Amino acid sequence: EIASGFLSTLGLPFLTLLYQSLIESDRSLCLTAKDNQAISGFICGSREAGQVFRRFAQGRRWQIAWALRGLLLRPRILKGILETARYGKRGDINSQIPDAELFSLVVQGQARRTGIGSALVAALAERLAASDINQLKVVVGEELEGAASFYQNLGFKAVGVIEVHAGRRSQIMVASTASFLSKSRNNS
């Protein structure tokens, strides 16, 4: 369960559409980790984040509208949707920041601090590297200090700050996908 962040406020029908689209996209990667036949974690990312979300919005607009039908009348939700739709289009992201992005990483509570999150990030980075993607970004809310520390420990470096939602700052963190290849070779 994704319990924090704006997208979680949009409800299960919307999130189901979004993740179904990510799974079906040839530009996205969604991976799971299993522990005793149960899913203990998942990660989703993309080689071309902007294009993936544009295709999602254009190709499923009526399904999205239906999934959000009860929420679109709430000004705060509508504002958040518009801010999210503009993410990356406003020129607020430096052209040196990679388009490849880690969107979501979730590890079940009992499986946290077991290395599953690190393994999922490494698996995503390795697959991106195999597709000639050299760098990967993740956007971390400023209030999520634990998440920022987790990514820093994996080799991500803070390279900028963005406000996807007005008044809520997030760090843009970038890592080399090649660094994950060398780590996995050293662990083999």
Side-chain angles (χ1 to χ4, degrees), residues 8 12 26 34-35 54 62 64 85 89 98 111 121 159-160:
S8 65
L12 187 57
D26 61 348
K34 286 186 175 182
D35 184 28
R54 279 190 295 283
W62 297 114
I64 293 168
K89 291 184 184 177
V121 173
V159 297

Side-chain angles (χ1 to χ4, degrees), residues 11 53 68 70 105 137 140 145 147 154 162 171 185:
F53 285 118
L68 297 173
L105 172 63
K137 76 174 175 254
V140 180
E145 294 173 11
L154 292 177
I162 186 172
Q171 288 186 67
R185 284 188 196 119

Side-chain angles (χ1 to χ4, degrees), residues 27-29 43-50 53 87-88 93 97-104 124 128 133 135-140 156 164 172-173:
R27 290 176 166 78
S28 296
L29 298 162
I43 191 169
C44 286
S46 175
R47 296 184 306 235
E48 301 168 303
F53 285 118
Y87 164 62
I93 297 180
I97 306 284
D99 197 30
E101 183 169 352
L102 186 166
F103 304 132
S104 304
L124 177 69
L128 289 171
I133 304 296
Q135 291 186 311
L136 170 66
K137 76 174 175 254
V138 63
V139 178
V140 180
F156 283 80
V164 176
I172 301 171
M173 303 179 80

Side-chain angles (χ1 to χ4, degrees), residues 38-132:
I39 293 176
S40 55
F42 80 90
I43 191 169
C44 286
S46 175
R47 296 184 306 235
E48 301 168 303
Q51 189 163 26
V52 166
F53 285 118
R54 279 190 295 283
R55 281 186 176 179
F56 168 66
Q58 292 167 353
R60 297 179 186 237
R61 74 176 50 130
W62 297 114
Q63 291 172 297
I64 293 168
W66 182 254
L68 297 173
R69 67 192 176 279
L71 300 172
L72 293 174
L73 299 176
R74 297 182 188 170
R76 184 181 64 80
I77 297 288
L78 186 56
K79 180 181 180 226
I81 291 169
L82 294 173
E83 290 169 338
T84 301
R86 287 192 306 263
Y87 164 62
K89 291 184 184 177
R90 299 174 293 215
D92 51 6
I93 297 180
N94 181 315
S95 63
Q96 301 299 314
I97 306 284
D99 197 30
E101 183 169 352
L102 186 166
F103 304 132
S104 304
L105 172 63
V106 177
V107 177
Q108 292 289 347
Q110 72 278 9
R112 291 189 182 142
R113 301 195 187 283
T114 64
I116 289 173
S118 300
L120 285 167
V121 173
L124 177 69
E126 289 170 12
R127 284 173 175 77
L128 289 171
S131 298
D132 295 324

